[in-house]
Amino acid sequence: MRTTVCPYCAAPSVVERPPSVDRPAPTFALGFAMTQPSAAEKVKHWLRTRHPWSHSGLKKAPLQDVRGIYVPAYLYSALAQTEYSASIGENYTETETYTTTENGKTVTRTRTVTKTEWRSLEGSHAEYVPDVLVTASRGLSNVELEHLEPFDLRMLARYEPALVAGWVAEEPSLSREECLKMARAEAVEKVKQRVGAFMPGDSHRMQHVETRLSAESLEVCLVPVWVLAARYDAEKPPLRVVVNGQSGEVHGDVPISWVKVVLTVLAVVALGLGVYLWMNQGGRS
């Protein structure tokens, strides 16, 4: 599937490819809730407030050149059945006696100490794990997608070509097996965190957690992402910033200007030295 615009009448259209094992047809799609100017403003605000030491070349980069892309992802769900064993720690206090030396004499004192009693716990846990989203694109890594999450999956709609007409819609470029492996690992990690969260006691040590997944579902979903490739240095690759097309969450690895960092540190040191000298002069007067 590819989207395009007619060169004669500028009408948006969708060119469909037959689905295949490597390029399955989308099942769902999430629409853009943020306009291009709003996305560009989000990027500018993010750079200004979150990255004050960014490379100075970004001031000249065309930050408004943000492009909207429907990125393919897999939406995974499964039934998880987990067997676990753990050591549960219960805290209690005791008063103990000890000796110490005070003014050259040995004296006896008491103090309250906290100790932990450990006991074993085994059990099973079952839950349905819904809405695990993993990338199906080699262009957008799963780490980047995780930084943009969550997407509002309540707005999920059945895919129709009209939903993406006029937009760039990428086809899956990762195999189904690669994505299934990522989704399973993410689902198992979520279950592990939930099991750990409801452990009783004051502390715990998980010893064994084994999760079996069944009733799995894996469907292609197109998610809205604004992408900016900002050229800030002719000799370096462009900065890529991605924006959640629904929430406006921004992510990117911003290059740091070490000159700005050094100047800031020097300014702070100079300010601290000035305050120190002023206080000393005031004390002497």
Side-chain angles (χ1 to χ4, degrees), residues 56-240:
S56 56
L58 287 172
K59 291 183 178 180
K60 301 177 182 178
L63 300 181
Q64 72 277 4
D65 292 345
V66 184
R67 298 183 64 194
I69 300 177
Y70 275 102
V71 177
Y74 273 103
L75 193 61
Y76 173 85
S77 61
L79 177 63
Q81 295 175 305
T82 302
E83 303 293 330
Y84 63 86
S85 62
S87 293
I88 305 301
E90 298 281 356
N91 294 340
Y92 64 96
T93 59
E94 284 187 348
T95 300
E96 65 178 19
T97 302
Y98 68 99
T99 58
T100 185
T101 302
E102 293 182 2
N103 300 320
K105 297 181 180 181
T106 300
V107 294
T108 301
R109 295 283 184 264
T110 59
R111 62 189 173 193
T112 301
V113 295
T114 300
K115 295 185 177 181
T116 303
E117 179 181 0
W118 295 94
R119 58 185 176 86
S120 298
L121 177 67
E122 295 181 355
S124 59
H125 171 78
E127 69 169 291
Y128 182 68
V129 185
D131 303 337
V132 175
L133 197 66
V134 296
T135 186
S137 167
R138 295 194 185 278
L140 185 76
S141 70
N142 203 51
V143 172
E144 289 176 299
L145 184 64
E146 287 176 347
H147 277 288
L148 295 185
E149 291 187 72
F151 288 86
D152 187 359
L153 297 178
R154 296 173 302 176
M155 305 304 295
L156 211 60
R158 283 281 173 181
Y159 169 76
E160 293 181 3
L163 288 173
V164 299
W167 296 85
V168 175
E170 184 187 350
E171 296 174 329
S173 50
L174 291 175
S175 69
R176 187 178 187 278
E177 289 70 26
E178 289 177 273
C179 298
L180 181 58
K181 184 178 179 180
M182 285 192 293
R184 283 171 172 166
E186 194 169 319
V188 168
E189 183 59 30
K190 284 186 176 183
V191 171
K192 185 177 180 180
Q193 291 175 2
R194 290 191 187 120
V195 169
F198 69 68
M199 286 292 106
D202 299 300
S203 57
H204 70 274
R205 300 170 183 161
M206 298 304 299
Q207 296 175 334
H208 177 72
V209 180
E210 182 179 351
T211 299
R212 298 185 303 278
L213 300 170
S214 61
E216 295 175 298
S217 173
L218 192 69
E219 304 286 352
V220 177
C221 173
L222 297 180
V223 296
V225 178
W226 290 104
V227 181
L228 168 69
R231 178 70 68 178
Y232 64 93
D233 190 321
E235 298 180 356
K236 295 181 180 179
L239 162 67
R240 184 170 72 174

Side-chain angles (χ1 to χ4, degrees), residues 248-285:
E249 183 67 30
V250 184
H251 172 70
D253 294 324
V254 178
I256 298 226
S257 171
W258 291 108
V259 174
K260 288 184 180 180
V261 173
V262 171
L263 290 176
T264 302
V265 171
L266 291 175
V268 171
V269 171
L271 178 61
L273 182 59
V275 171
Y276 173 77
L277 293 175
W278 177 77
M279 291 181 67
N280 281 351
Q281 288 174 356
R284 288 195 296 267
S285 62

